[in-house]
Amino acid sequence: MFDLTGRTALITGSSRGLGFSIAEGLAQAGASLILNGSNPERLTTAATSLRTKGHTVHEAPFDVTDEAAVQAAFDRLDTQGIAVDILFNNAGIQLRRPLVDLNAADWRHVIETNLTSAFLVGREAARRMITRGRGGKIINTGSLTSAVARATTGPYTAAKGGIKMLTQAMTAEWAEHNIQVNAIGPGYMLTEMTQPLADDPKFDGWVKARTPSRRWGTPADLIGTAVYLSSSASDYVNGQIIYVDGGMLAVL
Ligand code: NDP
């Protein structure tokens, strides 16, 4: 039920961080991988490290915010005869700044990287899944901020709240094609994105005190949910967001 053998998964933003860990987890469950990032050198390093472990890995460097680049990347995959069965929209960025100090260009950049990207890549994947008629899995990446807000992360919070509803909008249109669209909402996980927070004793103490599990999450903590949402085990699960947060959202 959880076996992904014979399926191909595209994970955006998988050159490092949570995306890399999710990619490795899906490969361990049997999937072939298409890794993505905007920096081709970083991507090749990540792909090589997974190939040395025996996994099948293709590289698709493109900017997830660039509509033409996204379309060209899918056209290249078509030419190579590679079909995406599982799409993990994971690429994202954070920018911490009070709303009153934020300019519109920075607002747009955060919204485009975290939200519009899921539409652009999701649309290309779904068009092909619908044409092939074999269904598929799309997993979008939310956050605790899909449900609650925190000061200085305004555009990120708006984007991740949008991810929750985009997941439902995609479900409304694509579930009848046997495409299950769901989202994952990581809590505070230790990656390059959050390293500055973990290095700050005050913030680190707040996370541990505020999280019922009393610890930061690790990228490996996401793998079980990622495999579940990518596999036949979730074939009647549609439009949900699953928080993997050590219990943070469950308590005040
Ligand atoms: P990292 O900063 O560690 O990694 C981000 C990845 O996204 C990199 O592979 C980066 O590759 C890629 N990326 C960024 N911008 C683009 C772009 N325009 N086009 C293609 N790839 C891009 O982030 P995390 O692993 O921490 O976060 C991954 C996801 O999880 C994000 O959506 C984030 O919002 C979400 N999340 C993270 C949490 C955490 O605690 N870490 C908590 C909740 C949600 P490159 O540099 O080559 O572009």
Side-chain angles (χ1 to χ4, degrees), residues 13-235:
S14 47
S15 56
R16 56 194 159 96
L18 302 183
F20 179 80
S21 187
I22 287 165
E24 184 164 22
L26 298 187
Q28 284 165 352
S32 300
L33 302 177
I34 307 164
L35 297 191
N36 159 264
S38 62
N39 179 316
E41 290 79 33
R42 204 178 283 149
L43 195 61
T44 297
T45 305
T48 304
S49 81
L50 291 179
R51 283 189 198 112
T52 57
K53 294 183 180 176
H55 302 305
T56 303
V57 186
H58 308 280
E59 294 169 46
F62 60 88
D63 180 343
V64 292
T65 67
D66 180 339
E67 182 174 18
V70 172
Q71 287 172 334
F74 273 85
D75 289 346
R76 271 195 303 278
L77 292 172
D78 290 344
T79 309
Q80 294 170 274
I82 300 169
V84 174
D85 302 296
I86 301 160
L87 166 64
F88 221 111
N89 277 316
N90 163 80
I93 53 162
Q94 178 59 288
L95 174 74
R96 292 172 201 282
R97 195 162 302 159
L99 284 167
V100 289
D101 299 329
L102 190 71
N103 66 46
D106 287 338
W107 166 273
R108 287 194 195 98
H109 184 48
V110 176
I111 296 284
E112 282 174 17
T113 310
N114 290 288
L115 177 59
T116 310
S117 63
F119 158 65
L120 293 175
V121 186
R123 182 184 63 181
E124 293 311 306
R127 281 175 172 165
R128 288 160 176 81
M129 288 173 183
I130 291 167
T131 303
R132 279 202 318 274
R134 290 203 320 248
K137 301 279 182 180
I138 297 178
I139 301 106
N140 297 321
T141 302
S143 148
L144 296 176
T145 60
S146 298
V148 293
R150 190 171 161 79
T152 75
T153 64
Y156 185 84
T157 301
K160 295 300 190 181
I163 281 287
K164 177 179 181 291
M165 292 314 296
L166 177 64
T167 299
Q168 293 182 218
M170 288 174 163
T171 295
E173 297 190 19
W174 300 340
E176 66 185 1
H177 300 286
N178 193 25
I179 300 170
Q180 289 81 47
V181 188
N182 291 288
I184 198 162
Y188 282 94
M189 321 297 284
L190 277 176
T191 66
E192 274 176 53
M193 183 188 270
T194 52
Q195 195 58 53
L197 302 177
D199 291 341
D200 172 358
K202 200 169 151 216
F203 199 94
D204 177 59
W206 176 79
V207 167
K208 289 173 180 158
R210 180 68 182 74
T211 307
S213 305
R214 301 284 171 255
R215 66 170 178 89
W216 288 73
T218 66
D221 284 318
L222 292 176
I223 291 175
T225 307
V227 170
Y228 165 62
L229 291 177
S230 300
S231 72
S232 308
S234 59
D235 277 354

